[in-house]
Amino acid sequence: MTGTFSSLNTALSALRYQRIAMDVASNNIANVSSEGYVRRRAEAVALGSPQQVAMWSRYDGSGDGVALSGITRMGDPFLDMRSRREHGQQSYLDARVAVLDRVEGAIGEPGDTGVSAALADFRNAWQDLQSHPESAAARSQVLAAGQSVADALRVQASNIQGEMSDQRGHVLDLVAEINVTAQDLAAVNQNIADAAAAGLDTNDLADQRDLLALKLADLTGGDAKLGANGVMNVTVAGVPLVTGKDASTLAVASGIAADGSADGAPLVFSLTGPSGTATLGAASLKGELGGTSELLTGTLPDYLSGLDSVARQLADTVNALHTTGYDANGAAGQPFFSYDPTGAASSLTVAITDPNGVVSSAQAGTLDTSIAEALGDLSVADDAYQRLVNGFATQVASSKRASTNQALLTSQVDGAREQQVGVNFDEETVNLLAAQRAYEAAARVMTTMDSVLDTLINRTGVTR
Amino acid sequence: MTTVRLTQNMMVNRSQSAMQNALVRLADAQEQVSSGKRINRPSDSPTDTTSAMRLRGSLKATEQYARNAGDGLGRLAVVDQTLFTVTDLVGRARELALQGANTGSAGQSSRDALAAEVDQIRDELLNQANTQYLTRPVFGGVTAGAAAYDDDGSFVGVAGAITRRVGDDVNVRVDVDGQAVFGDGATSVFAELDALSTALRAGDSAGLATSLDALSDRATTVSTMHATVGATYKRIETAQSGLVDRKLNLTTSLSNIEDIDLAEASIEVSMRQVAYQAALAATAKTLQPSLMDFLR
């Protein structure tokens, strides 16, 4: 049975609700550029007759006002998941492109300063020696040109090695960052579970949770799924990284020593959690860590070994010819190049220091030039090197294309997500205005009720 | 993708990425124009990079071949000049032999004078046989010594070919085997002249006749070798002019692959500049209005 003052209560409930609606709208506007913020909506529910009628009871009211049923976070777990997946892929490609771009810039082809030019100059120097076997200058020139080739190959090799060393350090940094992020996410999961149990608002925690899950996806390409009570569980290559309030610890099992140097073993990671330790191969990862690992285990070592084989081929062929002839003093030719078989390109150097040691003659004591003639025509290393550069350039070009395409896809998915969760000023302004007007109207209801009651209390029975 | 709901953030992001893209494209076009190169790094076009590397290699080789050819011509010119002189000297010796053989018109004293001139010619021929090009005797083969013949007229060089590379797989021989021109020891032109000198002094008409025959043969040998040198000279000259053409072709091909078409690239830059300005203008317009501007 409705009481005399029930309308006042109804108006009061409206005032309360509309104030919350204005709070939510202003909070949305305030957080328009907060990272990870998902817009909220104040949900209203009309209060009225009980949902289940008790036996023998009756309800003859006409509605008891409004109540806040909850503040909805307008997120979409499906879009979040897609966004995370695309971001993981994007980070993978971006990590590759950034490094490949740098390495490629240092190759210096096509140009006047690269290995290719040095090889051509080396051949030309031999031809000059063929023309002037009597000239000590021509022999010195051959030595200098040989040294240029060795230098050009060594510079490239050391660039690659430097890049690999940087990337090893980067992997260690990433692992540390992933562990911190995973622990943060586990802590947020714990808070969400606690808050949900206590019936508190978990929306801000959910924002944090999604942000951390996105960051983990960026870093590892990990797969994040919502669990019970709004906690986020993350698995990397099928192995749990964060499960509820528990975070596993990622570590480099082999491949990189603690000081960032290579330990010679293949790159393998380990994930240690409450249920034991699992190993992860470098190839099973995505995200920035996966991209960096791929560079360290595939692209960069492949290019380096390609350079090594170019250097070996050059040195072996030149040496084979050089040692069959006789130098300017009539002595048997010594090997022209020397290298360390474990890293030919980075250790290639001209073994001869005395220009008279350069061989042009196949007959001792004469100015024969058949060796110089053969060496002036040598192009085995050129072909191998051109193939190497072509292969590498193709990889870089395809990575760049893939990254550009992925960026389009990522921005589309991000756009779709933003459509859902982003704050629109116009919308919020309208919501704000509507709430303001509703608040004013509820206040008017109160005034009206007050006036009605005034009539009832003060004017009833008064005839004057 | 249909947009069901648009937010200010989306517009900001879209504007930003549109401006960024336009700027990147503008920078790419500007890089091409300012460097003048279409390929600034291998991944710009892997295939063209390989072609460019090959062409650059060939271009360098062609330049080197041209240098080798020039050097070879210089050397052959010396050989050619020397063989002219040698032909003259052998011819003069033959004339002297003929004069000496004409015994009716000459006494012993004039024959002695002829013999003295023959001795002079022998010394001069020996000088010519030891002609040097850049400190090396041109008729000495691959010898490391400074002379092709010693004073006795014996060959002291080392037979062997001296070559210049004037093309891929084209090595041209730019020397003449001294023994083929001058002979060696007892069969050398020097021995023949010695015999002539002796015959003149002795008034030996049979000896003079032998010498005359020998010198005629020698003149033929020298001119045959001379013709060979001329042919080689011609061959290198032909190769050289071929190299000039080839260099031009290679430069053109390289330029086609590596260089930009300046007119096209400039227009491209202008177009991208316009696109960038349009993106800026659109951003300036779209980001301004909101409902706030109309509510009072």
Side-chain angles (χ1 to χ4, degrees):
Chain A
M1 177 167 174
T2 49
T4 313
F5 298 106
S6 68
S7 292
L8 277 178
N9 259 330
T10 305
L12 179 61
S13 75
L15 287 181
R16 280 186 182 143
Y17 168 73
Q18 298 303 344
R19 209 176 42 73
I20 292 174
M22 282 189 280
D23 281 351
V24 169
S26 49
N27 194 38
N28 280 343
I29 292 175
N31 282 299
V32 64
S33 55
S34 305
E35 202 188 351
Y37 182 79
V38 174
R39 78 188 161 105
R40 325 271 205 251
R41 195 165 65 194
E43 305 285 358
V45 62
L47 293 178
S49 59
Q51 300 286 315
Q52 281 182 314
V53 183
M55 198 173 285
W56 310 119
S57 75
R58 288 193 307 150
Y59 178 78
D60 56 0
S62 50
D64 289 327
V66 64
L68 179 80
S69 70
I71 296 178
T72 311
R73 189 170 166 270
M74 305 294 284
D76 181 342
F78 169 70
L79 281 176
D80 288 350
M81 206 192 288
R82 277 216 64 188
S83 171
R84 281 193 294 270
R85 192 166 64 230
E86 302 307 343
H87 272 269
Q89 185 66 22
Q90 183 78 56
S91 309
Y92 173 84
L93 292 167
D94 285 352
R96 274 177 63 81
V97 166
V99 173
L100 291 180
D101 210 31
R102 259 203 307 276
V103 172
E104 184 192 23
I107 289 178
E109 300 288 356
D112 300 323
T113 51
V115 171
S116 211
L119 283 169
D121 286 340
F122 186 52
R123 264 199 304 280
N124 287 353
W126 282 111
Q127 290 181 31
D128 274 336
L129 180 59
Q130 177 189 355
S131 299
H132 302 287
E134 75 284 352
S135 154
R139 283 177 206 267
S140 303
Q141 201 193 335
V142 167
L143 278 191
Q147 197 60 56
S148 299
V149 172
D151 287 348
L153 280 167
R154 261 211 323 271
V155 165
Q156 272 203 26
S158 79
N159 270 336
I160 307 269
Q161 280 163 343
E163 193 63 54
M164 283 172 73
S165 151
D166 288 354
Q167 294 308 317
R168 278 194 295 271
H170 188 47
V171 164
L172 294 182
D173 293 348
L174 282 175
V175 166
E177 196 182 345
I178 288 166
N179 283 332
V180 171
T181 313
Q183 278 156 17
D184 286 354
L185 181 59
V188 169
N189 276 343
Q190 170 85 55
N191 288 343
I192 288 179
D194 291 352
L200 299 175
D201 177 38
T202 58
N203 285 339
D204 290 330
L205 289 169
D207 284 352
Q208 278 185 41
R209 175 198 68 196
D210 287 356
L211 205 57
L212 288 169
L214 183 62
K215 193 172 169 195
L216 276 181
D218 259 336
L219 291 170
T220 64
D223 203 11
K225 284 204 177 64
L226 270 181
N229 291 333
V231 301
M232 185 70 84
N233 300 322
V234 180
T235 56
V236 176
V239 181
L241 176 62
V242 178
T243 312
K245 61 180 174 42
D246 297 316
S248 303
T249 307
L250 184 69
V252 177
S254 71
I256 304 176
D259 61 353
S261 60
D263 69 0
L267 184 56
V268 175
F269 297 93
S270 69
L271 253 180
T272 310
S275 56
T277 299
T279 54
L280 290 174
S284 61
L285 293 166
K286 285 276 165 194
E288 196 174 351
L289 185 62
T292 312
S293 304
E294 203 285 327
L295 285 169
L296 274 178
T297 53
T299 315
L300 294 179
D302 287 354
Y303 188 75
L304 195 58
S305 76
L307 271 184
D308 282 344
S309 112
V310 168
R312 254 199 316 276
Q313 214 168 351
L314 173 73
D316 290 350
T317 326
V318 170
N319 287 349
L321 278 162
H322 202 257
T323 46
T324 55
Y326 298 91
D327 66 14
N329 300 326
Q334 299 300 310
F336 189 87
F337 286 115
S338 69
Y339 63 87
D340 175 0
T342 55
S346 49
S347 61
L348 187 69
T349 179
V350 174
I352 294 172
T353 49
D354 178 12
N356 283 332
V358 174
V359 164
S360 103
S361 166
Q363 278 174 277
T366 67
L367 291 179
D368 177 52
T369 56
S370 34
I371 302 290
E373 192 181 308
L375 283 168
D377 195 25
L378 204 69
S379 62
V380 279
D382 289 65
D383 293 344
Y385 178 69
Q386 281 164 13
R387 272 200 304 280
L388 179 67
V389 170
N390 187 308
F392 186 72
T394 311
Q395 267 193 40
V396 178
S398 82
S399 289
K400 281 184 180 169
R401 260 197 309 278
S403 163
T404 312
N405 290 345
Q406 182 64 40
L408 266 168
L409 187 59
T410 310
S411 76
Q412 268 184 16
V413 171
D414 279 353
R417 186 173 175 274
E418 174 69 20
Q419 275 184 34
Q420 178 70 29
V421 307
V423 174
N424 181 315
F425 284 136
D426 303 341
E427 205 176 85
E428 299 306 332
T429 312
V430 169
N431 286 346
L432 198 59
L433 280 177
Q436 186 189 0
R437 294 296 179 213
Y439 191 91
E440 284 169 11
R444 169 66 60 186
V445 169
M446 268 197 169
T447 314
T448 309
M449 282 315 298
D450 183 42
S451 157
V452 168
L453 289 174
D454 181 49
T455 305
L456 182 67
I457 295 167
N458 296 324
R459 306 267 186 260
T460 309
V462 177
T463 53
R464 180 172 54 90
Chain B
M1 182 180 67
T2 50
T3 303
V4 290
R5 185 173 174 276
L6 201 70
T7 71
Q8 273 72 17
N9 256 351
M10 282 172 78
M11 283 169 68
V12 171
N13 288 344
R14 280 186 192 178
S15 303
Q16 272 175 354
S17 75
M19 281 190 293
Q20 189 64 38
N21 284 346
L23 192 58
V24 167
R25 284 166 57 80
L26 180 59
D28 282 352
Q30 254 165 1
E31 185 190 18
Q32 290 199 348
V33 170
S34 54
S35 70
K37 298 277 175 226
R38 211 163 58 76
I39 307 175
N40 286 300
R41 52 190 73 75
S43 65
D44 287 346
S45 172
T47 321
D48 285 349
T49 300
T50 317
S51 306
M53 282 162 76
R54 282 188 186 281
L55 285 171
R56 277 172 178 270
S58 300
L59 199 58
K60 279 204 174 205
T62 307
E63 281 163 8
Q64 179 68 32
Y65 296 154
R67 235 166 58 162
N68 297 346
D71 187 76
L73 286 181
R75 192 187 165 95
L76 277 177
V78 170
V79 175
D80 186 58
Q81 191 55 49
T82 311
L83 289 180
F84 263 120
T85 316
V86 169
T87 311
D88 283 355
L89 289 172
V90 172
R92 176 71 188 146
R94 239 183 110 239
E95 271 175 35
L96 295 176
L98 274 173
Q99 277 185 34
N102 191 356
T103 45
S105 68
Q108 183 57 41
S109 60
S110 60
R111 278 204 296 275
D112 283 351
L114 292 177
E117 195 177 343
V118 168
D119 289 346
Q120 289 285 321
I121 288 174
R122 180 194 182 276
D123 289 350
E124 182 52 31
L125 263 181
L126 191 63
N127 260 341
Q128 293 296 331
N130 284 328
T131 303
Q132 290 185 338
Y133 177 71
L134 296 177
T135 74
R136 294 185 64 190
V138 291
F139 296 106
V142 297
T143 178
Y149 285 90
D150 65 7
D151 290 345
D152 301 334
S154 304
F155 184 68
V156 292
V158 179
I162 291 169
T163 54
R164 295 288 184 271
R165 181 181 296 279
V166 297
D168 301 331
D169 299 326
V170 183
N171 277 296
V172 180
R173 187 166 178 181
V174 292
D175 72 325
V176 169
D177 184 0
Q179 294 173 86
V181 179
F182 300 102
D184 184 15
T187 60
S188 71
V189 67
F190 312 109
E192 285 158 14
L193 290 174
D194 284 342
L196 175 60
S197 171
T198 313
L200 280 171
R201 289 205 164 88
D204 172 6
S205 56
L208 278 176
T210 317
S211 286
L212 251 178
D213 289 348
L215 284 174
S216 294
D217 290 350
R218 181 62 60 190
T220 315
T221 313
V222 171
S223 62
T224 311
M225 290 315 292
H226 200 169
T228 316
V229 169
T232 312
Y233 195 92
K234 177 81 185 142
R235 190 176 157 206
I236 295 183
E237 264 187 343
T238 313
Q240 204 175 27
S241 71
L243 287 172
V244 174
D245 290 349
R246 185 167 170 222
K247 188 178 167 189
L248 190 67
N249 285 340
L250 286 172
T251 314
T252 314
S253 307
L254 185 63
S255 166
N256 281 342
I257 288 178
E258 276 193 352
D259 297 348
I260 53 156
D261 178 345
L262 196 59
E264 195 185 313
S266 306
I267 291 172
E268 192 68 33
V269 168
S270 310
M271 275 168 55
R272 291 181 182 188
Q273 209 159 15
V274 170
Y276 180 53
Q277 279 164 353
L280 288 180
T283 308
K285 281 211 168 66
T286 52
L287 289 188
Q288 272 171 358
S290 87
L291 190 55
M292 307 292 181
D293 300 330
F294 301 98
L295 291 172
R296 288 287 174 266

